[in-house]
Amino acid sequence: MAPRRNKNTERKIAEERIERLFEAAHAVYEKDPSLSGRYVILAIKIAMKYRVKIPDRYRHSYCRKCFSFFSPGNNTRTRINSGKVTLTCTNCGYIRRYPIKERR
């Protein structure tokens, strides 16, 4: 009989790998944007396989349509309008809107 898998440790390892992949995507973007997009795809696949959420700080840093890593000013247009942030991917034209949280 095979040993039982420990899902908590698997999820922790998956979270660490996702963070490393996003950090690597950020570091590599200037040299090779397609490689940073590949890192984003790998991080998303890991998150889906182990049912782990992508951390909040990385959630808005990639395009959900073409999976390119967002680098503000290079491939992203950012606008603030009526309490919402609008991110537009210049690669595929996907528009992403999310509300600005009010500080209390």
Side-chain angles (χ1 to χ4, degrees):
M1 198 162 161
R4 190 170 192 171
R5 292 179 9 188
N6 191 348
K7 290 186 180 182
N8 289 333
T9 56
E10 285 181 357
R11 287 184 178 150
K12 284 182 183 179
I13 292 169
E15 288 172 356
E16 291 172 8
R17 287 181 181 170
I18 290 168
E19 283 202 27
R20 282 189 185 178
L21 283 168
F22 272 103
E23 289 170 3
H26 179 70
V28 165
Y29 180 79
E30 293 297 325
K31 296 175 188 169
D32 190 7
S34 62
L35 184 61
S36 65
R38 176 70 180 145
Y39 289 159
V40 169
I41 291 170
L42 288 173
I44 292 168
K45 284 184 178 184
I46 290 171
M48 285 192 293
K49 180 174 181 179
Y50 293 101
R51 295 186 194 179
V52 176
K53 285 188 177 182
I54 292 177
D56 290 337
R57 63 180 172 265
Y58 300 123
R59 189 169 297 150
H60 301 296
S61 63
Y62 68 94
C63 178
R64 288 192 169 188
K65 186 175 179 184
C66 68
F67 301 112
S68 62
F69 184 75
F70 281 157
S71 177
N74 293 329
N75 65 347
T76 308
R77 185 174 64 226
T78 305
R79 301 286 187 258
I80 299 173
N81 191 7
S82 66
K84 293 179 184 171
V85 176
T86 303
L87 289 173
T88 305
C89 178
T90 57
N91 294 334
C92 65
Y94 181 73
I95 298 172
R96 173 122 188 230
R97 295 179 188 93
Y98 57 93
I100 298 173
K101 294 181 182 177
E102 295 180 10
R103 293 186 183 196
R104 293 183 182 182

